[in-house]
Amino acid sequence: MHPSHFTSVLLFALCVSVVFGITMRDTPRRMVRYGLYCFVLFIGSAIVLSWLMFFIAR
Amino acid sequence: MATSSNKISGPGRSVAKDQGFVYLPLIAGWLVPGAGHFLLRKWGRGALLAASILGMFIMGLLMQGKLYSNAHEILDLLGLVGDLGNGLLYIVGRGLGVGADQVQTTVADWGTRFIVVAGMLNVIAAVDAHNLRTGRKQG
């Protein structure tokens, strides 16, 4: 299995967000919202940091 | 003076009084991902936790990730502790000899991290099951 960088980030963020959502909140609705929040933060921060590193490396 | 019987009080804590060994969901959840929640009849949550943790562990192995077996260096020790969080998955994995001995590619390095993080997530899930069992967490 040789996923790309971004696929790896997606898989990682998905699995971690599911666990964070379930364990950090009490009600199903809040679990889903927190899980989505974590997922977006994971992906968003990965994209922002990637662009930062791209410009630093130039 | 607080005794073991009156320490457990308040809404949602009645389960802890009725049933036996209070650490069973914690131990079961550590040994088998999601088992702690299954014991508490939280089927949906348990299935999602099991799928996520098991998925990360298997993906880590498929990416040729390494299962830490010794702790010669401090970072190896941290990796070993993280891997041990996987419970029986780690023990079975070591027994079957799966996982790479040496990390040789970038993808394998990610795979190693996937396995370590799966272990840490499993510990979080087991503690969550314990909190549900004792009534510290509602739900």
Side-chain angles (χ1 to χ4, degrees):
Chain A
M1 183 180 177
H2 291 275
S4 68
H5 266 94
F6 193 64
T7 309
S8 301
V9 169
L10 282 176
L11 292 169
F12 183 91
L14 179 68
C15 294
V16 176
S17 300
V18 168
V19 177
F20 278 7
I22 291 172
T23 56
M24 302 294 171
R25 292 294 182 268
D26 292 340
T27 60
R29 185 182 171 83
R30 294 183 69 205
M31 287 175 185
V32 171
R33 287 185 63 177
Y34 189 69
L36 283 172
Y37 173 72
C38 289
F39 184 77
V40 169
L41 275 187
F42 271 124
I43 301 298
S45 56
I47 291 171
V48 168
L49 287 172
S50 302
W51 277 107
L52 274 177
M53 287 188 281
F54 173 75
F55 286 119
I56 289 169
R58 281 165 71 90
Chain B
M1 188 174 130
T3 62
S4 61
S5 61
N6 63 14
K7 266 193 283 190
I8 304 164
S9 60
R13 300 197 174 196
S14 58
V15 176
K17 282 195 283 190
D18 312 315
Q19 297 174 1
F21 187 44
V22 77
Y23 294 106
L24 187 60
L26 178 71
I27 296 168
W30 169 61
L31 288 173
V32 180
H37 287 76
F38 290 143
L39 279 176
L40 299 171
R41 302 182 192 286
K42 305 283 184 190
W43 306 111
R45 295 185 204 181
L48 282 170
L49 290 171
S52 298
I53 294 164
L54 203 60
M56 278 198 88
F57 185 82
I58 291 170
M59 280 188 286
L61 289 178
L62 290 175
M63 291 156 80
Q64 303 298 313
K66 171 183 169 184
L67 277 176
Y68 287 93
S69 57
N70 52 47
H72 294 312
E73 297 175 23
I74 186 71
L75 287 179
D76 286 350
L77 176 64
L78 293 175
L80 180 64
V81 170
D83 277 4
L84 282 171
N86 285 299
L88 284 180
L89 288 177
Y90 174 76
I91 296 166
V92 170
R94 290 283 303 148
L96 295 176
V98 293
D101 294 327
Q102 293 256 321
V103 173
Q104 292 178 333
T105 63
T106 309
V107 173
D109 193 35
W110 302 340
T112 305
R113 306 296 160 237
F114 267 56
I115 294 169
V116 172
V117 172
M120 292 190 287
L121 292 176
N122 192 38
V123 172
I124 292 174
V127 170
D128 184 62
H130 178 66
N131 287 338
L132 285 167
R133 171 68 176 80
T134 58
R136 193 174 295 151
K137 180 182 177 185
Q138 306 297 317

